[in-house]
Amino acid sequence: MAYWLFKSEPATWSWDQQVAKGVAGEIWNGVRNHQAKNFMQAMKKGDRGFFYHSQTERAVVGIVEVTKEAEPDPTAEPDSPWECVTVKAIQPVASPVTLKMIKDVPELAEMVLVKNSRLSVQPVEPDEWKLVCKMAGVKP
DNA sequence: GCCAACGTTGGC
DNA sequence: GCCAACGTTGGC
C-alpha cells in the first residue's frame, strides 16, 4: 500500500466537509497540475493519505482512504487530461501535526511538503507516514 | 527551443 | 499583506 498527502485550503474544501460525505467519499476534483495528476493516477484503491489544511492552519488534520481510482475530472473541460480519485475520511487525528512540527523533525526534512510546498497531491514515504501518524496520535 | 512576463499558491 | 517559488504562456 502506498501513502499520500492531500492538501486543501479549508475555505474551499475542509476536513469537516470531507467527514460529512461519510463512506461515500468525495471526488478530489480541481487539481490542475500534472505532477499531482500523475500521483493520483498511481493511486490504488485502499491507499491511505493525510488530509492537510493549507494556508490558515497548515496542519495534518485527518486520515483518508482512496476508494476509487483515477477517472476524468468532471469539473474539467471535456477531453482535457485532468483526472481525480475519490477519497473518504477514515478518522480525524488525535492532535493536528503542524507544518512547524514537521519542519522541526530532522527525519521529515525530505518530505515533499517541506521540499515542494506548492504541490497539492504528494507521495509520502512509509517511514514518514509512521512518524507523522505517531505525532498525530493515530495508528499507522 | 529559449526565456521573459505573468498568474497562482502557500508560508510567513 | 507580502513575497518567494513554481508553472504556464507567449514572443522571438
Side-chain angles (χ1 to χ4, degrees), chain A residues 6 21-22 26 30 42-44 46 48 52 59 65 71 77 84 103 114 117:
Chain A
F6 296 86
K21 290 289 177 178
E26 178 72 356
M43 292 179 189
K44 300 291 183 194
R48 294 278 169 117
Y52 176 87
E65 180 178 311
E71 61 187 318
E77 298 271 314
C84 37
K103 285 187 167 177
V114 177
S117 63

Side-chain angles (χ1 to χ4, degrees), chain A residues 1 3 48 63 91 126 129-131 133-134 137-140:
Chain A
M1 156 157 44
Y3 302 103
R48 294 278 169 117
I63 309 292
Q91 62 171 336
W129 179 266
K130 282 182 203 156
L131 189 47
C133 280
K134 192 178 170 190
V138 297
K139 289 184 180 174

